[in-house]
Amino acid sequence: MSRSQRLLDLIQVLRRHRRAVAGAVLAQEVGISLRTLYRDIGTLRAQGAPIDGEAGVGYVLRPGFMLPPLMFAEEEIEALVLGSRWVSERADGLLGNAARNVLAKIGAVLPDDLKDSIAASGMIIGPGEPIAAGDAELATIRQAIRTERKVQIRYADERGATTTRLIWPLALAFFDRVRVVVAWCELRDGYRHFRTDRIATIDVTADRLPRRRAALLREWHRLNEVPEQ
């Protein structure tokens, strides 16, 4: 276990306890010796962590302490690498470039022992089939979602029949072979899912959603029994 990982684990253990915890208990939870624990407590205090207590009494982390930026556990780095590589391979070009930039920015400021974890990560995304929807179309949808604007689309169903819809886009779902817009459809007066490869035209209107997107999305999660992310 790297030193950065060990210090992060100790902070996380302290966060779980609201009252002073004996050093022996903390050492056991983190998986280190008591001597190492005392040394790590001193290191964290020197870095500004508000840890009260002393040997023989116990230790407690005062509320409100925020971890320094980019202090990640090894599993968290692997999750970032895997997610960023998936986006770079499966999302549109703009998001793909953004994902690569994120990894580069994180790698530039991480401690050396964690920076090496990105370069040596064993997280690999397998090859997949290309997805039909264009980059500009997806960027437009994402912009409408962020700004909470209504969107007018011309949409073809599975039989090829086309209708004009005024929708309230709430989320964009990425599957292996398709991308789907989760939206409220004014024509159907209900939540609907629109495959982006069946959207013939798209136009973001000046009209804002009548309700906040977050509230609508929570309602969609509840109605569809989909766990909130």
Side-chain angles (χ1 to χ4, degrees):
M1 180 189 298
S2 68
R3 182 169 177 270
S4 298
Q5 173 72 51
R6 194 176 71 239
L7 294 175
L8 178 59
D9 286 350
L10 178 54
I11 285 289
Q12 300 295 55
V13 169
L14 284 166
R15 281 185 181 279
R16 294 201 296 265
H17 297 281
R18 296 186 178 182
R19 295 181 175 82
V21 186
V25 173
L26 292 173
Q28 183 178 17
E29 289 195 39
V30 180
I32 56 179
S33 69
L34 191 57
R35 183 176 180 177
T36 300
L37 174 84
Y38 292 149
R39 187 168 60 246
D40 287 350
I41 289 287
T43 298
L44 289 172
R45 282 173 167 169
Q47 293 177 356
I51 301 173
D52 294 333
E54 59 186 37
V57 176
Y59 299 94
V60 63
L61 180 68
R62 291 202 302 270
F65 174 67
M66 299 298 292
L67 287 173
L70 302 175
M71 190 173 181
F72 295 117
E74 291 172 349
E75 286 79 9
E76 291 169 340
I77 290 177
E78 289 188 337
L80 284 170
V81 170
L82 182 62
S84 296
R85 287 178 177 172
W86 192 95
V87 170
S88 66
E89 294 291 333
R90 297 287 194 273
D92 57 275
L94 292 176
L95 273 187
N97 287 334
R100 287 185 285 272
N101 289 339
V102 166
L103 278 184
K105 288 178 179 179
I106 291 174
V109 295
L110 280 174
D112 289 340
D113 57 338
L114 294 181
K115 186 182 302 183
D116 293 341
S117 297
I118 290 183
S121 173
M123 300 295 103
I124 299 174
I125 301 299
E129 297 182 12
I131 304 178
D135 291 356
E137 175 182 286
L138 292 174
T140 299
I141 294 170
R142 292 201 308 274
Q143 178 66 18
I145 290 172
R146 285 194 296 266
T147 58
E148 300 191 349
R149 303 287 180 178
K150 295 183 181 181
V151 171
Q152 183 169 288
I153 62 173
R154 200 157 54 83
Y155 188 74
D157 63 18
E158 64 275 7
R159 296 183 299 276
T162 303
T163 55
T164 298
R165 312 284 189 101
L166 190 61
I167 65 173
W168 313 347
L170 307 178
L172 188 58
F174 289 78
F175 297 89
D176 284 341
R177 299 184 180 180
V178 297
R179 297 158 176 140
V180 175
V181 182
V182 176
W184 176 272
C185 177
E186 293 192 0
L187 178 65
R188 303 303 186 202
D189 193 29
Y191 292 105
R192 293 293 186 272
H193 306 135
F194 300 93
R195 286 178 49 158
T196 58
D197 58 330
R198 293 179 180 171
I199 297 176
T201 63
I202 181 169
D203 180 44
V204 180
T205 74
D207 296 333
R208 297 187 64 87
L209 306 188
R211 295 168 56 194
R212 295 307 305 267
R213 186 182 69 87
L216 291 165
L217 192 57
R218 283 195 298 270
E219 184 177 74
W220 173 81
H221 278 289
R222 187 168 60 254
L223 293 174
N224 290 274
E225 297 184 348
V226 177
E228 294 191 36
Q229 302 297 309

CSV table of all heavy atoms in Angstrom, one decimal, residues 165-217:
chain,number,residue,atom,x,y,z
A,165,ARG,N,-41.9,16.3,-32.5
A,165,ARG,CA,-42.1,16.2,-31.0
A,165,ARG,C,-41.5,17.5,-30.4
A,165,ARG,O,-40.4,17.9,-30.8
A,165,ARG,CB,-41.5,15.0,-30.4
A,165,ARG,CG,-41.8,13.7,-31.1
A,165,ARG,CD,-43.2,13.2,-30.8
A,165,ARG,NE,-43.4,11.8,-31.3
A,165,ARG,CZ,-43.3,10.7,-30.6
A,165,ARG,NH1,-43.1,10.8,-29.3
A,165,ARG,NH2,-43.5,9.5,-31.1
A,166,LEU,N,-42.1,18.0,-29.4
A,166,LEU,CA,-41.5,19.0,-28.5
A,166,LEU,C,-41.2,18.3,-27.2
A,166,LEU,O,-42.1,17.8,-26.5
A,166,LEU,CB,-42.5,20.2,-28.3
A,166,LEU,CG,-41.8,21.4,-27.5
A,166,LEU,CD1,-40.7,21.9,-28.4
A,166,LEU,CD2,-42.9,22.4,-27.3
A,167,ILE,N,-39.9,18.1,-26.9
A,167,ILE,CA,-39.5,17.3,-25.7
A,167,ILE,C,-38.7,18.2,-24.7
A,167,ILE,O,-38.2,19.2,-25.0
A,167,ILE,CB,-38.7,16.1,-26.1
A,167,ILE,CG1,-37.4,16.5,-26.8
A,167,ILE,CG2,-39.5,15.2,-27.1
A,167,ILE,CD1,-36.4,15.4,-27.0
A,168,TRP,N,-38.7,17.7,-23.5
A,168,TRP,CA,-37.9,18.3,-22.4
A,168,TRP,C,-36.8,17.3,-22.1
A,168,TRP,O,-37.0,16.3,-21.3
A,168,TRP,CB,-38.7,18.5,-21.1
A,168,TRP,CG,-40.1,19.2,-21.3
A,168,TRP,CD1,-40.5,19.8,-22.5
A,168,TRP,CD2,-41.1,19.3,-20.4
A,168,TRP,NE1,-41.8,20.3,-22.2
A,168,TRP,CE2,-42.2,20.0,-21.0
A,168,TRP,CE3,-41.2,18.8,-19.0
A,168,TRP,CZ2,-43.4,20.2,-20.3
A,168,TRP,CZ3,-42.4,19.1,-18.4
A,168,TRP,CH2,-43.5,19.8,-19.0
A,169,PRO,N,-35.6,17.4,-22.7
A,169,PRO,CA,-34.5,16.5,-22.5
A,169,PRO,C,-34.0,16.5,-21.0
A,169,PRO,O,-33.7,17.6,-20.5
A,169,PRO,CB,-33.5,16.9,-23.5
A,169,PRO,CG,-33.7,18.3,-23.7
A,169,PRO,CD,-35.2,18.5,-23.6
A,170,LEU,N,-33.9,15.3,-20.4
A,170,LEU,CA,-33.5,15.2,-19.0
A,170,LEU,C,-32.1,14.5,-18.9
A,170,LEU,O,-31.4,14.9,-17.9
A,170,LEU,CB,-34.5,14.5,-18.2
A,170,LEU,CG,-36.0,15.0,-18.3
A,170,LEU,CD1,-36.9,14.1,-17.5
A,170,LEU,CD2,-36.1,16.4,-17.9
A,171,ALA,N,-31.8,13.6,-19.7
A,171,ALA,CA,-30.6,12.8,-19.6
A,171,ALA,C,-30.3,12.2,-20.9
A,171,ALA,O,-31.1,12.0,-21.8
A,171,ALA,CB,-30.7,11.7,-18.5
A,172,LEU,N,-29.0,11.8,-21.0
A,172,LEU,CA,-28.5,11.1,-22.2
A,172,LEU,C,-27.9,9.8,-21.8
A,172,LEU,O,-26.9,9.8,-21.0
A,172,LEU,CB,-27.5,12.0,-23.0
A,172,LEU,CG,-27.0,11.5,-24.4
A,172,LEU,CD1,-28.2,11.4,-25.3
A,172,LEU,CD2,-26.0,12.5,-24.9
A,173,ALA,N,-28.5,8.7,-22.2
A,173,ALA,CA,-28.0,7.4,-21.8
A,173,ALA,C,-27.1,6.7,-22.9
A,173,ALA,O,-27.5,6.7,-24.0
A,173,ALA,CB,-29.2,6.5,-21.4
A,174,PHE,N,-26.0,6.2,-22.5
A,174,PHE,CA,-25.1,5.6,-23.4
A,174,PHE,C,-25.1,4.1,-23.2
A,174,PHE,O,-24.7,3.6,-22.2
A,174,PHE,CB,-23.6,6.1,-23.2
A,174,PHE,CG,-23.4,7.5,-23.6
A,174,PHE,CD1,-23.9,8.6,-22.8
A,174,PHE,CD2,-22.8,7.8,-24.8
A,174,PHE,CE1,-23.7,9.9,-23.2
A,174,PHE,CE2,-22.6,9.1,-25.2
A,174,PHE,CZ,-23.1,10.2,-24.4
A,175,PHE,N,-25.5,3.4,-24.3
A,175,PHE,CA,-25.5,1.9,-24.3
A,175,PHE,C,-24.4,1.5,-25.2
A,175,PHE,O,-23.8,2.3,-25.9
A,175,PHE,CB,-26.9,1.4,-24.7
A,175,PHE,CG,-28.0,1.7,-23.7
A,175,PHE,CD1,-28.7,2.9,-23.8
A,175,PHE,CD2,-28.3,0.9,-22.6
A,175,PHE,CE1,-29.7,3.2,-22.9
A,175,PHE,CE2,-29.3,1.2,-21.7
A,175,PHE,CZ,-30.0,2.3,-21.9
A,176,ASP,N,-24.2,0.2,-25.3
A,176,ASP,CA,-23.2,-0.3,-26.2
A,176,ASP,C,-23.4,0.0,-27.6
A,176,ASP,O,-22.4,0.3,-28.4
A,176,ASP,CB,-23.0,-1.9,-26.0
A,176,ASP,CG,-22.3,-2.3,-24.7
A,176,ASP,OD1,-21.6,-1.4,-24.2
A,176,ASP,OD2,-22.5,-3.4,-24.3
A,177,ARG,N,-24.6,0.0,-28.1
A,177,ARG,CA,-24.9,0.2,-29.5
A,177,ARG,C,-25.8,1.4,-29.8
A,177,ARG,O,-25.8,1.8,-31.0
A,177,ARG,CB,-25.5,-1.1,-30.1
A,177,ARG,CG,-24.6,-2.3,-30.0
A,177,ARG,CD,-25.3,-3.5,-30.7
A,177,ARG,NE,-24.4,-4.7,-30.6
A,177,ARG,CZ,-24.7,-5.9,-31.1
A,177,ARG,NH1,-25.9,-6.0,-31.8
A,177,ARG,NH2,-23.9,-6.9,-31.0
A,178,VAL,N,-26.4,1.9,-28.8
A,178,VAL,CA,-27.3,3.1,-29.1
A,178,VAL,C,-27.1,4.1,-28.0
A,178,VAL,O,-26.6,3.8,-26.9
A,178,VAL,CB,-28.8,2.7,-29.2
A,178,VAL,CG1,-29.0,1.8,-30.4
A,178,VAL,CG2,-29.2,2.1,-27.9
A,179,ARG,N,-27.5,5.3,-28.3
A,179,ARG,CA,-27.6,6.4,-27.3
A,179,ARG,C,-29.1,6.8,-27.2
A,179,ARG,O,-29.8,6.9,-28.3
A,179,ARG,CB,-26.8,7.6,-27.7
A,179,ARG,CG,-25.3,7.2,-27.7
A,179,ARG,CD,-24.5,8.2,-28.6
A,179,ARG,NE,-23.1,8.0,-28.5
A,179,ARG,CZ,-22.3,8.1,-29.6
A,179,ARG,NH1,-22.9,8.4,-30.8
A,179,ARG,NH2,-21.0,7.9,-29.5
A,180,VAL,N,-29.6,7.1,-26.0
A,180,VAL,CA,-31.0,7.3,-25.8
A,180,VAL,C,-31.2,8.6,-25.0
A,180,VAL,O,-30.5,8.8,-24.0
A,180,VAL,CB,-31.7,6.2,-25.1
A,180,VAL,CG1,-33.1,6.5,-24.7
A,180,VAL,CG2,-31.6,4.9,-25.9
A,181,VAL,N,-32.1,9.5,-25.5
A,181,VAL,CA,-32.5,10.7,-24.8
A,181,VAL,C,-33.7,10.4,-23.9
A,181,VAL,O,-34.7,9.9,-24.4
A,181,VAL,CB,-32.8,11.8,-25.7
A,181,VAL,CG1,-33.2,13.1,-24.9
A,181,VAL,CG2,-31.7,12.1,-26.7
A,182,VAL,N,-33.5,10.6,-22.6
A,182,VAL,CA,-34.6,10.5,-21.6
A,182,VAL,C,-35.3,11.9,-21.6
A,182,VAL,O,-34.7,12.9,-21.4
A,182,VAL,CB,-34.1,10.1,-20.2
A,182,VAL,CG1,-35.3,10.1,-19.2
A,182,VAL,CG2,-33.4,8.8,-20.3
A,183,ALA,N,-36.6,11.9,-21.9
A,183,ALA,CA,-37.3,13.2,-22.0
A,183,ALA,C,-38.8,13.1,-21.7
A,183,ALA,O,-39.4,12.0,-21.7
A,183,ALA,CB,-37.1,13.8,-23.4
A,184,TRP,N,-39.3,14.2,-21.3
A,184,TRP,CA,-40.8,14.4,-21.3
A,184,TRP,C,-41.3,14.8,-22.7
A,184,TRP,O,-40.7,15.7,-23.3
A,184,TRP,CB,-41.2,15.4,-20.3
A,184,TRP,CG,-42.7,15.7,-20.2
A,184,TRP,CD1,-43.4,16.5,-21.0
A,184,TRP,CD2,-43.7,15.0,-19.4
A,184,TRP,NE1,-44.8,16.5,-20.7
A,184,TRP,CE2,-44.9,15.5,-19.7
A,184,TRP,CE3,-43.6,14.0,-18.4
A,184,TRP,CZ2,-46.1,15.1,-19.1
A,184,TRP,CZ3,-44.7,13.6,-17.8
A,184,TRP,CH2,-46.0,14.1,-18.1
A,185,CYS,N,-42.3,14.1,-23.2
A,185,CYS,CA,-42.8,14.4,-24.5
A,185,CYS,C,-44.1,15.1,-24.4
A,185,CYS,O,-45.1,14.5,-23.9
A,185,CYS,CB,-42.9,13.1,-25.3
A,185,CYS,SG,-43.6,13.3,-27.0
A,186,GLU,N,-44.2,16.3,-25.0
A,186,GLU,CA,-45.5,17.0,-24.9
A,186,GLU,C,-46.6,16.3,-25.7
A,186,GLU,O,-47.7,16.4,-25.4
A,186,GLU,CB,-45.3,18.5,-25.3
A,186,GLU,CG,-44.4,19.2,-24.3
A,186,GLU,CD,-44.5,20.7,-24.5
A,186,GLU,OE1,-45.2,21.2,-25.5
A,186,GLU,OE2,-43.8,21.5,-23.8
A,187,LEU,N,-46.2,15.7,-26.8
A,187,LEU,CA,-47.2,15.1,-27.7
A,187,LEU,C,-47.8,13.9,-27.0
A,187,LEU,O,-49.0,13.7,-27.1
A,187,LEU,CB,-46.5,14.6,-29.0
A,187,LEU,CG,-47.4,13.9,-30.0
A,187,LEU,CD1,-48.5,14.8,-30.5
A,187,LEU,CD2,-46.5,13.3,-31.1
A,188,ARG,N,-47.0,13.1,-26.3
A,188,ARG,CA,-47.5,11.9,-25.6
A,188,ARG,C,-47.9,12.2,-24.1
A,188,ARG,O,-48.4,11.3,-23.5
A,188,ARG,CB,-46.5,10.8,-25.7
A,188,ARG,CG,-46.0,10.4,-27.1
A,188,ARG,CD,-47.2,10.0,-27.9
A,188,ARG,NE,-46.8,9.5,-29.2
A,188,ARG,CZ,-47.5,9.4,-30.3
A,188,ARG,NH1,-48.8,9.9,-30.2
A,188,ARG,NH2,-47.0,8.9,-31.4
A,189,ASP,N,-47.6,13.4,-23.7
A,189,ASP,CA,-47.9,13.8,-22.3
A,189,ASP,C,-47.3,12.7,-21.3
A,189,ASP,O,-48.0,12.3,-20.4
A,189,ASP,CB,-49.4,13.9,-22.1
A,189,ASP,CG,-49.8,14.6,-20.8
A,189,ASP,OD1,-49.0,15.4,-20.3
A,189,ASP,OD2,-50.8,14.3,-20.2
A,190,GLY,N,-46.1,12.4,-21.5
A,190,GLY,CA,-45.4,11.5,-20.6
A,190,GLY,C,-43.9,11.3,-20.9
A,190,GLY,O,-43.4,11.9,-21.9
A,191,TYR,N,-43.3,10.6,-20.0
A,191,TYR,CA,-41.8,10.4,-20.3
A,191,TYR,C,-41.6,9.4,-21.4
A,191,TYR,O,-42.3,8.3,-21.5
A,191,TYR,CB,-41.2,9.8,-19.0
A,191,TYR,CG,-41.1,10.9,-17.9
A,191,TYR,CD1,-42.0,10.8,-16.8
A,191,TYR,CD2,-40.2,11.9,-17.9
A,191,TYR,CE1,-42.0,11.7,-15.8
A,191,TYR,CE2,-40.2,12.9,-16.9
A,191,TYR,CZ,-41.1,12.8,-15.8
A,191,TYR,OH,-41.1,13.7,-14.9
A,192,ARG,N,-40.7,9.6,-22.3
A,192,ARG,CA,-40.4,8.8,-23.4
A,192,ARG,C,-38.9,8.7,-23.6
A,192,ARG,O,-38.1,9.5,-23.1
A,192,ARG,CB,-41.1,9.3,-24.7
A,192,ARG,CG,-42.6,9.2,-24.7
A,192,ARG,CD,-43.1,7.8,-24.7
A,192,ARG,NE,-44.5,7.7,-24.8
A,192,ARG,CZ,-45.4,7.7,-23.8
A,192,ARG,NH1,-44.9,7.8,-22.6
A,192,ARG,NH2,-46.7,7.6,-24.0
A,193,HIS,N,-38.5,7.7,-24.3
A,193,HIS,CA,-37.0,7.5,-24.6
A,193,HIS,C,-36.8,7.5,-26.1
A,193,HIS,O,-37.5,6.8,-26.9
A,193,HIS,CB,-36.6,6.1,-24.0
A,193,HIS,CG,-36.9,6.0,-22.6
A,193,HIS,ND1,-37.4,4.8,-22.0
A,193,HIS,CD2,-36.7,6.8,-21.5
A,193,HIS,CE1,-37.6,5.0,-20.7
A,193,HIS,NE2,-37.2,6.2,-20.4
A,194,PHE,N,-35.9,8.4,-26.6
A,194,PHE,CA,-35.7,8.6,-28.0
A,194,PHE,C,-34.3,8.2,-28.4
A,194,PHE,O,-33.3,8.7,-27.9
A,194,PHE,CB,-35.9,10.1,-28.3
A,194,PHE,CG,-37.3,10.6,-28.0
A,194,PHE,CD1,-37.6,11.2,-26.8
A,194,PHE,CD2,-38.3,10.4,-28.9
A,194,PHE,CE1,-38.8,11.6,-26.5
A,194,PHE,CE2,-39.6,10.9,-28.6
A,194,PHE,CZ,-39.9,11.5,-27.4
A,195,ARG,N,-34.2,7.2,-29.3
A,195,ARG,CA,-32.9,6.8,-29.8
A,195,ARG,C,-32.3,8.0,-30.7
A,195,ARG,O,-33.0,8.5,-31.5
A,195,ARG,CB,-33.0,5.6,-30.7
A,195,ARG,CG,-33.2,4.3,-29.8
A,195,ARG,CD,-33.4,3.1,-30.7
A,195,ARG,NE,-32.3,2.9,-31.7
A,195,ARG,CZ,-32.0,1.8,-32.3
A,195,ARG,NH1,-32.6,0.7,-31.9
A,195,ARG,NH2,-31.1,1.7,-33.2
A,196,THR,N,-31.1,8.3,-30.4
A,196,THR,CA,-30.5,9.5,-31.1
A,196,THR,C,-30.3,9.2,-32.6
A,196,THR,O,-30.3,10.1,-33.4
A,196,THR,CB,-29.2,9.9,-30.5
A,196,THR,OG1,-28.3,8.8,-30.5
A,196,THR,CG2,-29.4,10.4,-29.1
A,197,ASP,N,-30.2,7.9,-33.0
A,197,ASP,CA,-30.0,7.6,-34.4
A,197,ASP,C,-31.3,7.7,-35.2
A,197,ASP,O,-31.3,7.6,-36.4
A,197,ASP,CB,-29.3,6.2,-34.6
A,197,ASP,CG,-30.1,5.1,-33.9
A,197,ASP,OD1,-30.8,5.4,-32.9
A,197,ASP,OD2,-30.1,4.0,-34.4
A,198,ARG,N,-32.4,7.9,-34.5
A,198,ARG,CA,-33.7,8.1,-35.2
A,198,ARG,C,-34.2,9.5,-35.2
A,198,ARG,O,-35.2,9.8,-35.6
A,198,ARG,CB,-34.8,7.2,-34.5
A,198,ARG,CG,-34.5,5.7,-34.7
A,198,ARG,CD,-35.6,4.9,-34.0
A,198,ARG,NE,-35.4,3.5,-34.2
A,198,ARG,CZ,-36.1,2.5,-33.5
A,198,ARG,NH1,-37.0,2.9,-32.6
A,198,ARG,NH2,-35.8,1.3,-33.7
A,199,ILE,N,-33.3,10.4,-34.7
A,199,ILE,CA,-33.7,11.9,-34.7
A,199,ILE,C,-33.2,12.4,-36.0
A,199,ILE,O,-32.0,12.5,-36.3
A,199,ILE,CB,-33.0,12.6,-33.5
A,199,ILE,CG1,-33.6,12.1,-32.2
A,199,ILE,CG2,-33.3,14.1,-33.6
A,199,ILE,CD1,-33.0,12.7,-30.9
A,200,ALA,N,-34.1,12.9,-36.8
A,200,ALA,CA,-33.8,13.4,-38.1
A,200,ALA,C,-33.3,14.9,-38.1
A,200,ALA,O,-32.3,15.2,-38.7
A,200,ALA,CB,-35.0,13.3,-39.1
A,201,THR,N,-34.0,15.7,-37.3
A,201,THR,CA,-33.6,17.1,-37.1
A,201,THR,C,-33.8,17.4,-35.6
A,201,THR,O,-34.6,16.8,-34.9
A,201,THR,CB,-34.5,18.0,-37.9
A,201,THR,OG1,-35.9,17.9,-37.5
A,201,THR,CG2,-34.4,17.7,-39.4
A,202,ILE,N,-33.1,18.4,-35.2
A,202,ILE,CA,-33.1,18.8,-33.8
A,202,ILE,C,-33.0,20.3,-33.7
A,202,ILE,O,-32.1,20.9,-34.4
A,202,ILE,CB,-32.1,18.1,-32.9
A,202,ILE,CG1,-32.2,18.5,-31.5
A,202,ILE,CG2,-30.7,18.3,-33.5
A,202,ILE,CD1,-31.4,17.7,-30.5
A,203,ASP,N,-33.8,21.0,-32.9
A,203,ASP,CA,-33.7,22.4,-32.7
A,203,ASP,C,-34.0,22.8,-31.3
A,203,ASP,O,-35.0,22.5,-30.7
A,203,ASP,CB,-34.8,23.1,-33.7
A,203,ASP,CG,-34.7,24.6,-33.5
A,203,ASP,OD1,-33.6,25.2,-33.5
A,203,ASP,OD2,-35.8,25.2,-33.4
A,204,VAL,N,-33.0,23.4,-30.7
A,204,VAL,CA,-33.2,23.9,-29.3
A,204,VAL,C,-34.0,25.2,-29.3
A,204,VAL,O,-33.6,26.2,-29.9
A,204,VAL,CB,-31.8,24.1,-28.6
A,204,VAL,CG1,-32.0,24.6,-27.2
A,204,VAL,CG2,-31.0,22.8,-28.7
A,205,THR,N,-35.1,25.2,-28.5
A,205,THR,CA,-35.9,26.4,-28.5
A,205,THR,C,-35.4,27.3,-27.4
A,205,THR,O,-34.5,27.0,-26.6
A,205,THR,CB,-37.4,26.0,-28.2
A,205,THR,OG1,-37.5,25.6,-26.8
A,205,THR,CG2,-37.8,24.8,-29.1
A,206,ALA,N,-36.1,28.5,-27.3
A,206,ALA,CA,-35.8,29.5,-26.3
A,206,ALA,C,-36.6,29.2,-25.0
A,206,ALA,O,-36.4,29.8,-24.0
A,206,ALA,CB,-36.0,30.9,-26.7
A,207,ASP,N,-37.5,28.2,-25.1
A,207,ASP,CA,-38.4,28.0,-23.9
A,207,ASP,C,-37.7,27.1,-22.9
A,207,ASP,O,-37.1,26.1,-23.2
A,207,ASP,CB,-39.7,27.2,-24.4
A,207,ASP,CG,-40.5,28.1,-25.4
A,207,ASP,OD1,-40.4,29.3,-25.2
A,207,ASP,OD2,-41.2,27.5,-26.2
A,208,ARG,N,-37.8,27.6,-21.6
A,208,ARG,CA,-37.2,26.8,-20.5
A,208,ARG,C,-38.2,25.7,-20.1
A,208,ARG,O,-39.4,25.9,-20.3
A,208,ARG,CB,-36.8,27.7,-19.4
A,208,ARG,CG,-35.7,28.7,-19.7
A,208,ARG,CD,-35.3,29.5,-18.5
A,208,ARG,NE,-34.6,28.6,-17.6
A,208,ARG,CZ,-33.3,28.3,-17.6
A,208,ARG,NH1,-32.5,28.7,-18.5
A,208,ARG,NH2,-32.8,27.5,-16.7
A,209,LEU,N,-37.7,24.7,-19.4
A,209,LEU,CA,-38.5,23.7,-18.9
A,209,LEU,C,-39.4,24.3,-17.8
A,209,LEU,O,-39.0,25.2,-17.0
A,209,LEU,CB,-37.7,22.6,-18.2
A,209,LEU,CG,-36.6,21.9,-19.1
A,209,LEU,CD1,-36.1,20.7,-18.4
A,209,LEU,CD2,-37.2,21.5,-20.5
A,210,PRO,N,-40.7,23.9,-17.7
A,210,PRO,CA,-41.6,24.5,-16.7
A,210,PRO,C,-41.3,24.0,-15.3
A,210,PRO,O,-41.7,24.7,-14.3
A,210,PRO,CB,-43.0,23.9,-17.1
A,210,PRO,CG,-42.7,22.7,-17.9
A,210,PRO,CD,-41.4,22.9,-18.6
A,211,ARG,N,-40.5,23.0,-15.1
A,211,ARG,CA,-40.0,22.5,-13.8
A,211,ARG,C,-38.5,22.3,-13.9
A,211,ARG,O,-38.0,22.0,-15.0
A,211,ARG,CB,-40.7,21.2,-13.4
A,211,ARG,CG,-42.3,21.3,-13.2
A,211,ARG,CD,-42.9,20.0,-13.1
A,211,ARG,NE,-42.3,19.2,-12.1
A,211,ARG,CZ,-42.5,17.8,-12.0
A,211,ARG,NH1,-43.3,17.2,-12.9
A,211,ARG,NH2,-42.0,17.1,-11.0
A,212,ARG,N,-37.9,22.2,-12.7
A,212,ARG,CA,-36.4,22.0,-12.7
A,212,ARG,C,-36.1,20.6,-13.2
A,212,ARG,O,-36.8,19.6,-12.9
A,212,ARG,CB,-35.9,22.2,-11.3
A,212,ARG,CG,-36.0,23.6,-10.8
A,212,ARG,CD,-35.3,24.6,-11.8
A,212,ARG,NE,-34.0,24.3,-12.2
A,212,ARG,CZ,-32.9,24.9,-11.5
A,212,ARG,NH1,-33.1,25.7,-10.5
A,212,ARG,NH2,-31.7,24.6,-11.9
A,213,ARG,N,-35.1,20.5,-14.0
A,213,ARG,CA,-34.7,19.2,-14.6
A,213,ARG,C,-34.4,18.2,-13.5
A,213,ARG,O,-34.8,17.0,-13.6
A,213,ARG,CB,-33.5,19.4,-15.5
A,213,ARG,CG,-33.1,18.1,-16.2
A,213,ARG,CD,-31.8,18.3,-17.1
A,213,ARG,NE,-30.7,18.5,-16.2
A,213,ARG,CZ,-29.9,17.5,-15.8
A,213,ARG,NH1,-30.3,16.2,-16.1
A,213,ARG,NH2,-28.9,17.7,-15.0
A,214,ALA,N,-33.8,18.6,-12.4
A,214,ALA,CA,-33.4,17.6,-11.3
A,214,ALA,C,-34.7,17.0,-10.8
A,214,ALA,O,-34.7,15.8,-10.5
A,214,ALA,CB,-32.6,18.3,-10.2
A,215,ALA,N,-35.8,17.8,-10.6
A,215,ALA,CA,-37.0,17.2,-10.0
A,215,ALA,C,-37.7,16.3,-11.0
A,215,ALA,O,-38.2,15.2,-10.7
A,215,ALA,CB,-38.0,18.4,-9.7
A,216,LEU,N,-37.6,16.7,-12.3
A,216,LEU,CA,-38.2,15.8,-13.4
A,216,LEU,C,-37.5,14.5,-13.4
A,216,LEU,O,-38.1,13.4,-13.6
A,216,LEU,CB,-38.2,16.5,-14.7
A,216,LEU,CG,-39.1,17.7,-14.9
A,216,LEU,CD1,-38.7,18.5,-16.1
A,216,LEU,CD2,-40.6,17.3,-15.0
A,217,LEU,N,-36.1,14.5,-13.3
A,217,LEU,CA,-35.3,13.3,-13.4
A,217,LEU,C,-35.6,12.4,-12.2
A,217,LEU,O,-35.7,11.2,-12.4
A,217,LEU,CB,-33.9,13.7,-13.5
A,217,LEU,CG,-32.9,12.6,-13.9
A,217,LEU,CD1,-33.3,11.9,-15.2
A,217,LEU,CD2,-31.5,13.1,-14.0
